[in-house]
Amino acid sequence: MEKLKQNIILFDLDGTLTDSAEGVINACQYMQKKMNMPVWETADLKFIVGPPLMKTFTEDFAMDKETAEKAMVVYREYYTTIGLFENKVFPGIEEMLENLKAKGKRMAVATSKKEEMAVRILKHFGISDYFEVIGGDHREIGRDTKAKVIDHVLSTMRAEKEDVIMVGDRRFDIEGAHAIGIPCIAVEFGYGDRGEFEKYGADFIAATTEDVANLF
């Protein structure tokens, strides 16, 4: 296969660079308990890792907007102090980033996680310096969708769309990338699966971190 030519690679965070399921699920269960809701079993909450939380709370938990906003505040009570560090970098990520850096690629993060949380996590694990920009949710200024985060990162990097590709693990990454007009590599070591990737039109599918690096 011919190597991909894009020089700018955007990475999702949860499920792509880090395995954050434990902290995200624990924070959700904390929120459910504090808000006197039924506390779901861990196995039943795996779907919440990756999608924007507001979408999860309003659609999957059927909350109205006011309740969802309150749930976000309670969720973050736990996540910002404990949950964000109940997390680990996937095996092979640093080697992949080193490989891509050696190939001269410019890299950034585009995540639906709150931006300040993303920065703290990447710094905590010592991999923040690989990325020129760490872009995330900043709904206070209207940056509240994956597409808007990607657009912000591209603008900050002064990037041309034809020189950019997204790497993610869920349909939200694929949809966000396509909404902006860039292709997406979907990774199988995260929280999505091949069926989801094919359904939502991933441009490439990579099974491992090594496979991602070898595409370039």
Side-chain angles (χ1 to χ4, degrees), residues 3-176:
K3 299 291 187 180
L4 298 178
K5 304 299 186 186
Q6 288 89 347
N7 288 306
I8 298 175
I9 307 170
L10 310 186
F11 290 92
D12 176 46
L13 179 56
D14 291 359
T16 302
L17 297 173
T18 67
D19 182 359
S20 57
E22 180 182 358
V24 171
I25 290 171
N26 286 347
C28 186
Q29 290 171 326
Y30 171 87
M31 176 275 295
Q32 289 175 316
K33 184 176 181 180
K34 290 274 285 190
M35 294 184 68
N36 297 313
M37 297 168 59
V39 179
W40 295 16
E41 295 293 332
T42 296
D44 296 328
L45 284 170
K46 289 183 178 178
F47 73 94
I48 72 170
V49 186
L53 278 173
M54 185 58 69
K55 179 180 185 303
T56 298
F57 290 164
T58 55
E59 294 183 12
D60 298 296
F61 292 135
M63 297 178 181
D64 59 40
K65 191 173 186 297
E66 183 180 353
T67 304
E69 292 283 2
K70 187 181 299 183
M72 292 280 282
V73 171
V74 178
Y75 171 95
R76 285 177 176 147
E77 285 178 8
Y78 183 95
Y79 192 80
T80 58
T81 55
I82 300 171
L84 78 166
F85 299 130
E86 293 176 325
N87 196 353
K88 55 184 178 290
V89 177
F90 281 116
I93 288 295
E94 192 152 9
E95 292 83 353
M96 175 193 72
L97 295 173
E98 278 290 343
N99 188 323
L100 293 170
K101 180 181 177 182
K103 292 176 179 179
K105 302 304 180 184
R106 299 172 63 195
M107 295 179 285
V109 169
T111 174
S112 293
K113 186 179 291 300
K114 199 168 178 65
E115 186 168 286
E116 64 186 82
M117 293 296 102
V119 172
R120 287 178 65 190
I121 290 165
L122 291 164
K123 285 185 175 179
H124 174 76
F125 288 117
I127 59 174
S128 61
D129 287 347
Y130 285 104
F131 307 107
E132 286 185 33
V133 177
I134 299 170
D137 179 282
H138 199 327
R139 61 187 55 249
E140 295 82 358
I141 59 172
R143 196 193 311 148
D144 56 359
T145 67
K146 191 75 173 196
K148 289 179 182 178
V149 172
I150 293 170
D151 191 52
H152 160 72
V153 172
L154 297 192
S155 176
T156 304
M157 297 179 80
R158 300 181 182 276
E160 298 294 335
K161 291 179 182 179
E162 59 267 22
D163 201 29
V164 184
I165 193 166
M166 180 80 199
V167 180
D169 73 302
R170 295 298 311 274
R171 69 177 177 92
F172 309 99
D173 303 305
I174 301 166
E175 291 175 327

